């Protein structure tokens, strides 16, 4: 088993940044917001389109939900791709440790197949600050194309997701 810092993303074989076809990393650190404020907006996938315009058609398979859990399979559309996904990591908020969720997603077939590992880490920092980190690695021809695009749609899209998540959590906590 690979050793890792709890404040880092856990990468499965084949998806380690620098060895994949595309990688993006986005992070925010904000004040006066708790993990428990933000967590529901991330794990309840049906909420995504309400604060992140680049997501739609959310469906959790097997009558599960509303919160995603380890092993859950779901579907959504993002960046023009229909994505099937499976939650491969889910650590709900526990005082003193980061909350974590990650999914493996895939879209397309053969030479147009896209495979991704999308991970999130949410942790409380000193001074009533909250860190939200999201990172994604991708493999396949579509990933190679996205890596060359300027401006980078993954960096910009995931930043919108982070900012929307913070805005939604703040509004609900008020």
């Amino acid at each position: 088993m690979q050793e890792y810092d709890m404040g880092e993303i856990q990468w499965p074989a084949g998806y380690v940044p620098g060895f994949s076809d595309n990688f993006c990393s986005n992070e925010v650190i904000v004040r006066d917001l708790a993990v428990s404020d933000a967590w529901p907006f991330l794990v309840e996938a049906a909420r995504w389109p309400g604060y992140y315009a680049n997501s739609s058609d959310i469906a959790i398979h097997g009558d599960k939900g509303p919160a995603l859990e380890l092993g859950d399979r779901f579907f959504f559309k993002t960046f023009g791709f229909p994505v099937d996904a499976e939650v491969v990591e889910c650590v709900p908020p526990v005082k003193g440790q980061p909350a974590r969720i990650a999914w493996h997603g895939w879209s397309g077939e053969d030479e147009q197949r896209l495979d991704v590992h999308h991970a999130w880490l949410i942790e409380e920092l000193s001074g009533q600050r909250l860190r939200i980190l999201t990172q994604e690695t991708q493999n396949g021809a579509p990933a190679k194309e996205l890596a060359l695009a300027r401006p980078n749609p993954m960096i910009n899209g995931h930043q919108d997701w982070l900012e929307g998540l913070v805005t939604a959590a703040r509004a609900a906590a008020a």
Side-chain angles (χ1 to χ4, degrees):
M1 185 167 150
Q2 178 183 356
E3 292 291 322
Y4 64 92
D5 179 316
M6 284 298 291
E8 296 178 0
I9 301 297
Q10 301 174 45
W11 296 104
Y15 294 90
V16 175
F19 296 103
S20 61
D21 293 326
N22 194 17
F23 169 71
C24 67
S25 180
N26 296 74
E27 178 179 39
V28 294
I29 298 176
V30 297
R31 290 189 325 191
D32 301 323
L33 199 60
V35 172
S36 59
D37 296 327
W39 184 251
F41 287 93
L42 185 56
V43 298
E44 294 178 19
R47 291 184 173 200
W48 297 349
Y51 68 85
Y52 179 50
N54 193 22
S55 64
S56 67
D57 301 321
I58 313 290
I60 301 174
H61 302 305
D63 295 323
K64 302 265 184 132
L68 294 170
E69 296 179 358
L70 185 65
D72 283 354
R73 300 272 310 262
F74 65 102
F75 173 87
F76 69 112
K77 290 183 181 173
T78 187
F79 292 100
F81 295 98
V83 178
D84 286 300
E86 180 177 354
V87 178
V88 295
E89 179 183 27
C90 188
V91 179
V94 174
K95 188 154 183 72
Q97 79 177 40
R100 316 169 72 88
I101 189 165
W103 53 81
H104 172 219
W106 59 94
S107 181
E109 296 180 11
D110 303 322
E111 56 278 339
Q112 285 305 307
R113 182 171 168 103
L114 174 67
D115 279 280
V116 307
H117 181 78
H118 192 163
W120 294 79
L121 183 142
I122 306 177
E123 65 181 326
E124 292 176 359
L125 304 174
S126 63
Q128 295 183 315
R129 295 173 300 143
L130 183 69
R131 174 187 184 219
I132 306 174
L133 172 67
T134 185
Q135 295 183 331
E136 181 172 318
T137 56
Q138 304 172 333
N139 289 310
K144 291 175 183 175
E145 292 173 21
L146 285 168
L148 297 174
R150 296 295 179 268
N152 187 304
M154 298 304 299
I155 295 290
N156 292 339
H158 286 172
Q159 193 64 34
D160 288 346
W161 199 340
L162 280 172
E163 291 170 9
L165 174 62
V166 168
T167 298
R170 283 196 191 286

